Amino acid sequence: MPKVLAIESSCDETACAVVDDLRVRSSVVRSQIDIHARFGGVVPELASRHHLGAITPVIRASLEDAGTRLADLDAIAVTEGPGLVGALLVGVQAARGLALGSGLPLFGVHHLEGHLFSALLDPPDDAGAAGHVVPRHVALLVSGGHTELVEVLGLGRYRLLGATRDDAAGEAFDKGAKLLGLGYPGGPVIDRLAAQGDPRAHAFPRSMIDRDGFEFSFSGLKTALLVHVQQRGQPSTLAALADVCAAYQAAIVDVLVRKARRAVRHCGLDRLHVVGGVAANRGLREAALAAGDADGFTVVVPPLRYCGDNAAMIGAAAAARVAAGVAPSVELHTSLAIDEERQRLP
Ligand code: KG4
Ligand code: ZN
C-alpha cells in the first residue's frame, strides 16, 4: 500500500495531501478564489506569487493532519501539467526539493489523470482487491479548462474520445455568470440559482447535440446568452434570474449527458465517472445518475471535496504507479493531452 505525499498547484489552488493507496489521510486545499474574483478570472502572475507563499504551510499542515513524517512515505507526487507554467513550477520545485532532501522517488502526474483518480478515492471498506484496480469506464471530465470524454482502459491507458472545440463547460458557466453580473467563479452561483428556476423558461441552443462523435462546443451558448441579455435586458427579479440560470445550465448539462451516454454505449461499457470541478454541479450529477438508471450503467461522481482541484487525486494516481512498479519521472509541461505518448505505460 504505497503511501504518497502529493502536491497540486496547476491553477488557483495550492494543495497537498497524504494518501495511503486510494485512502486519503489528509487533504489540504488553500484556494485563491478571493484573490482572483475581483479580476473576473485567474491572473497567472498573482497565482504564482500566492502559491509561493502558501506551499510550505500547506505541505506542513498536510503532514500534520495525516500524523506522518516524510520518513514514513514511499514517494512524492506532483502535478507536472497541464496548467499555468509559473503555478506549476512552484509545486514541481517544492516537490523536487522534498524528494531530494528525503531520498524518496518523485512521480509527475498529469492533472487530468488526477481528476480521473478522484472518482476512486476512499473506496468502500468492502471493495477489497477491486479497490486497487482502475476499472474500465468512460470518464466525462469537466473542469474550468477541459471538457473531454475519455475511455479509461486501465492505469495510464486513456483513449480520448472527444473534447471541446472551444470553451470548456466550466468556462461556459464562468462566462455566463460574468455576463449576468454574478461574479467568479460562476459555476457554483449558477448551480445555486438554477435550483430555484425553471429550465424550460428559455430555449438555449444545444450545440452539436445530434452530431455523431464526441466533440463539444459551448461558445455559441455564451453568445446566445449575450443576445438574450441584449434583447431583453438583465433579469430584473430573482425569479427571472433563476429561470435564466436554470435554462442556461440545462443547455450545458443536456449536451454533456447526452454525449456521455452515447460514449458509454459506443465503448460497450457499463460505467460512467463524472469528474472535474463541474462534476460538483447538482443538475449534472442528477442528470448523469438518471441516465445511468435509464440505460443500466453505473455512475460514479466523487464527493464534492474531490471534484475541484485537490492533491489527494494526484497522490492516488502516483500510488497506482508505485504499486505497478513504474519508474519515477517528472517533466513539467503546459499542454500535453492525456493520451499523449509520455503518459502511456508499457
Ligand atoms: O477542476 P477545477 O477545480 O479546476 C480546473 O482544473 O479547471 O474546475 C473549476 C471549474 C470552474 O469553471 C467552476 O466554475 C466550475 O469548475 N464549477 C462548477 C461548480 N463548481 C465549480 N460548475 C458548475 N457547477 C458547480 N457547482
Ligand atoms: Zn482541475
Side-chain angles (χ1 to χ4, degrees), residues 213-225:
F214 301 105
E215 291 189 310
F216 301 92
S217 166
F218 291 107
S219 67
L221 174 62
K222 176 187 61 190
T223 310
L225 179 63

Side-chain angles (χ1 to χ4, degrees), residues 271-332:
R271 235 179 139 80
L272 172 71
H273 293 186
V274 186
V275 296
V278 181
N281 185 267
R282 274 174 290 173
L284 176 58
R285 294 167 86 91
E286 278 165 24
L289 289 165
D293 277 348
D295 287 9
F297 58 78
T298 304
V299 177
V300 181
V301 279
L304 293 186
R305 64 184 178 284
Y306 300 140
C307 288
D309 288 345
N310 66 85
M313 64 187 196
I314 304 300
R321 277 152 196 274
V322 176
V326 178
S329 76
V330 63
E331 197 176 308
L332 194 150

Side-chain angles (χ1 to χ4, degrees), residues 74-251:
D74 299 298
I76 307 286
V78 66
T79 303
E80 61 179 4
L84 303 169
V85 66
L88 287 164
L89 202 54
V90 176
V92 168
Q93 295 304 70
R96 282 200 171 118
L98 285 177
L100 213 64
S102 62
L104 292 169
L106 175 59
F107 289 81
V109 173
H110 194 285
H111 181 75
L112 299 185
E113 183 179 42
H115 276 300
L116 295 179
F117 271 81
S118 68
L120 307 176
L121 291 170
D122 287 339
D125 287 335
D126 60 1
H132 301 269
V133 178
V134 179
R136 278 189 70 167
H137 66 275
V138 168
L140 172 63
L141 210 159
V142 273
S143 71
H146 295 87
T147 294
E148 301 183 350
L149 277 163
V150 181
E151 183 182 7
V152 177
L153 302 160
L155 174 66
R157 296 172 58 217
Y158 311 120
R159 193 161 74 91
L160 184 62
L161 298 167
T164 182
R165 288 187 175 183
D166 39 59
D167 292 348
E171 231 175 323
F173 275 105
D174 294 338
K175 289 178 177 172
K178 198 170 183 177
L179 257 161
L180 294 168
L182 298 174
Y184 174 86
V189 194
I190 291 190
D191 187 352
R192 237 182 353 261
L193 285 162
Q196 307 157 38
D198 175 6
R200 287 171 307 260
H202 308 283
F204 287 116
R206 272 81 170 146
S207 301
M208 303 177 79
I209 198 164
D210 290 321
R211 207 169 302 168
D212 282 347
F214 301 105
E215 291 189 310
F216 301 92
S217 166
F218 291 107
S219 67
L221 174 62
K222 176 187 61 190
T223 310
L225 179 63
L226 176 67
V227 171
H228 178 95
V229 169
Q230 279 169 346
Q231 287 176 346
R232 305 189 187 201
Q234 289 285 359
S236 55
T237 63
L238 190 61
L241 178 62
D243 281 350
V244 173
C245 287
Y248 188 77
Q249 174 173 297

Side-chain angles (χ1 to χ4, degrees), residues 44-106:
E45 173 65 17
L46 288 179
S48 315
R49 288 187 200 192
H50 285 274
H51 282 309
L52 267 180
I55 193 85
T56 307
V58 164
I59 293 171
R60 280 222 176 90
S62 173
L63 281 168
E64 233 171 79
D65 285 2
T68 305
R69 297 165 310 144
L70 281 178
D72 304 328
L73 301 170
D74 299 298
I76 307 286
V78 66
T79 303
E80 61 179 4
L84 303 169
V85 66
L88 287 164
L89 202 54
V90 176
V92 168
Q93 295 304 70
R96 282 200 171 118
L98 285 177
L100 213 64
S102 62
L104 292 169
L106 175 59

